[in-house]
């Protein structure tokens, strides 16, 4: 496993990270969840992502339980705040009140003394950015979090936050967590260059487009019965990818992968990691074998002519926007 620096910070995280959305504490039973997390750790993954809102804290509990076995210094745990955790007007968003309360709640659920990377899950138009940044800076001063980042913020929001942090002397945000995969590339235009300018690394989510970029879904064929798309509790987002145009292009990508002696999942991860601004690709895994298959990518460089070939296939589905 190779490790990359997260933005301009000194923190080193594995090129492949493991997330827990729709899997641990949700669709996957605890024993298998823990087996996936342990397999990841054994294979050198040190970056584990979760969120308070993933099944209302249940994902954090399972992740904390699995990581308990290991030295705290040997892994980097990232969680998030923003989405509703209750019915009240202050049970959501990025107010000082909600951030401070949810940080304490996440620490308890994870069973740790500090969170390595605390991320604003979305931008909150109802809270002044300065209030959010000050709350995060205070949490860093208190030692409850080590670093702060954001998720799915636009280039403009990132720029604005970076300027306020500089002006007020808050510790800078070090990361952004956007969607990024062969099918969804919107960050390349503005988010990547702007983040780089402000010293932020990307820890990208859904690098396999929720499993579409493994080639298991074929045009005109039944959805595999044990997949995310077959599970009514987890298929809300993935179904938007399941159209013949996308799946036909994915089959062409699979042929390219085979030509290199790779699985499509491995090519898709190497493709995301070709961007130096990407510090880690956060995969999901419903089985330990998937983790094993996916980590092989770390360090693989796709030859330039193959990158061009991939680009021409991706041009066929340029403009496709899934729901995430
Ligand atoms: P993904 O890696 O694109 O998809 C993961 C799913 O693909 C697995 O659960 C598995 O589903 C399937 N899969 C993975 N490897 C496979 C393999 N080798 N062979 C066959 N199938 C394979 O990532 P994701 O789960 O969508 O997202 C990853 C993480 O990103 C999340 O856990 C979360 O931490 C983070 N995330 C963040 C946000 C945000 O707003 N910040 C949003 C979404 C996700 P099945 O086996 O069930 O088919």
């Amino acid at each position: 496993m190779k490790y990359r620096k997260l933005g301009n910070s000194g923190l080193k995280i594995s090129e492949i990270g493991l997330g827990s959305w729709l899997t641990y504490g949700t669709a996957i039973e605890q024993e298998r969840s823990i087996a996936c997390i342990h397999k990841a750790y054994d294979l050198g993954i040190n970056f584990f992502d979760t969120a308070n809102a993933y099944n209302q804290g249940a994902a954090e509990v399972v992740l904390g339980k699995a990581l308990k076995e290991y030295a705290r210094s040997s892994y980097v745990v990232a969680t998030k705040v923003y989405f509703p955790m209750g019915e009240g007007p202050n049970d959501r968003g990025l107010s000082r009140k909600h951030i401070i309360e949810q940080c304490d709640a996440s620490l308890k659920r994870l069973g740790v003394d500090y969170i390595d990377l605390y991320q604003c899950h979305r931008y909150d138009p109802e809270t002044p950015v300065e209030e959010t940044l000050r709350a995060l800076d205070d949490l860093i001063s208190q030692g409850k979090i080590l670093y702060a980042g954001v998720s799915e913020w636009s280039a403009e929001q990132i720029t604005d936050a970076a300027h306020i942090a500089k002006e007020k002397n808050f510790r800078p945000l070090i990361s952004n967590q956007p969607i990024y995969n062969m099918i969804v590339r919107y960050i390349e235009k503005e988010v990547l260059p702007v983040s780089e300018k402000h010293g932020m690394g990307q820890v990208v989510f859904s690098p396999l487009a929720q499993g579409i970029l493994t080639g298991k879904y074929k045009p005109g064929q039944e959805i595999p019965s044990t997949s995310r798309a077959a599970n009514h509790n987890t298929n809300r987002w993935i179904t938007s990818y399941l159209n013949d145009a996308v799946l036909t292009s994915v089959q062409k990508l699979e042929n390219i992968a085979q030509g290199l002696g790779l699985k499509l999942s491995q090519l898709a991860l190497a493709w995301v990691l070709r961007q130096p601004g990407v510090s880690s690709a956060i995969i999901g895994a419903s089985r330990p074998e998937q983790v094993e298959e996916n980590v092989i990518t770390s360090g693989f460089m796709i030859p330039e002519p193959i990158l061009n070939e991939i680009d021409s296939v991706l041009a066929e589905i340029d403009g496709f926007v899934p729901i995430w």
Side-chain angles (χ1 to χ4, degrees):
M1 176 62 66
K2 295 213 176 313
Y3 301 84
R4 294 186 182 186
K5 260 161 59 88
L6 184 47
N8 278 359
S9 79
L11 186 66
K12 295 189 184 80
I13 59 174
S14 45
E15 285 189 338
I16 307 290
L18 182 67
S20 48
W21 178 57
L22 302 182
T23 49
Y24 317 139
T26 310
I28 313 297
E29 68 274 20
Q30 183 162 295
E31 201 179 321
R32 183 139 56 98
S33 300
I34 291 177
C36 290
I37 297 164
H38 285 177
K39 176 60 76 181
Y41 185 92
D42 290 345
L43 293 171
I45 289 182
N46 76 344
F47 181 53
F48 296 90
D49 181 69
T50 186
N52 62 344
Y54 294 169
N55 205 8
Q56 294 289 293
E60 288 182 326
V61 171
V62 175
L63 180 62
K65 198 168 179 174
L67 293 175
K68 204 83 202 150
E69 289 198 13
Y70 308 122
R72 180 66 187 87
S73 57
S74 65
Y75 60 85
V76 174
V77 70
T79 190
K80 315 187 193 80
V81 57
Y82 167 82
F83 284 111
M85 290 300 285
E87 295 299 318
N90 287 311
D91 292 338
R92 65 194 66 206
L94 298 177
S95 68
R96 177 177 187 82
K97 178 173 169 61
H98 190 58
I99 288 179
I100 304 281
E101 288 170 355
Q102 277 306 305
C103 179
D104 281 337
S106 287
L107 286 169
K108 280 202 193 87
R109 287 188 291 255
L110 286 160
V112 293
D113 296 329
Y114 61 89
I115 291 158
D116 297 278
L117 179 65
Y118 202 41
Q119 305 157 103
C120 301
H121 212 151
R122 290 291 181 273
Y123 184 80
D124 179 4
E126 295 181 7
T127 303
V129 181
E130 186 180 334
E131 174 177 336
T132 299
L133 295 176
R134 191 180 293 278
L136 294 170
D137 196 58
D138 287 347
L139 286 172
I140 295 177
S141 297
Q142 291 164 15
K144 290 185 178 181
I145 68 172
L146 303 188
Y147 302 93
V150 298
S151 172
E152 280 296 347
W153 281 27
S154 68
E156 201 184 341
Q157 290 158 351
I158 286 171
T159 304
D160 190 33
H163 288 152
I164 293 175
K166 198 161 188 192
E167 190 189 310
K168 301 288 173 187
N169 211 17
F170 298 143
R171 271 150 290 211
L173 298 168
I174 66 161
S175 65
N176 179 39
Q177 185 177 139
I179 188 172
Y180 186 52
N181 59 51
M182 284 171 155
I183 304 172
V184 187
R185 308 175 61 170
Y186 86 89
I187 63 165
E188 289 174 359
K189 209 167 158 205
E190 288 180 343
V191 173
L192 267 174
V194 160
S195 301
E196 196 185 340
K197 182 173 167 202
H198 296 296
M200 291 163 70
Q202 311 295 311
V203 288
V204 303
F205 72 76
S206 299
L208 300 175
Q210 299 200 47
I212 301 290
L213 291 168
T214 65
K216 71 166 104 178
Y217 304 100
K218 310 275 185 211
Q221 284 186 24
E222 292 271 301
I223 288 169
S225 61
T226 55
S227 65
R228 180 177 293 186
N231 182 330
H232 294 298
N233 296 317
T234 58
N235 70 357
R236 185 170 144 211
W237 294 271
I238 192 174
T239 41
S240 66
Y241 286 97
L242 296 173
N243 71 62
D244 280 0
V246 169
L247 298 184
T248 303
S249 296
V250 167
Q251 286 204 304
K252 293 181 188 167
L253 295 171
E254 192 165 21
N255 291 339
I256 297 177
Q258 278 164 3
L260 290 168
L262 295 176
K263 300 266 190 187
L264 175 55
S265 54
Q266 294 163 342
L267 180 70
L269 292 169
W271 183 89
V272 159
L273 289 167
R274 85 200 185 289
Q275 290 280 4
V278 172
S279 304
S280 184
I282 310 172
I283 58 161
S286 64
R287 291 168 187 76
E289 305 83 75
Q290 294 179 349
V291 181
E292 227 157 359
E293 186 176 299
N294 297 344
V295 296
I296 290 166
T297 300
S298 178
F300 183 84
M301 303 291 278
I302 306 173
E304 197 67 35
I306 304 287
L307 283 174
N308 295 336
E309 211 181 317
I310 292 170
D311 265 340
S312 11
V313 174
L314 297 181
E316 298 169 359
I317 48 170
D318 189 25
F320 167 77
V321 184
I323 301 168
W324 73 85

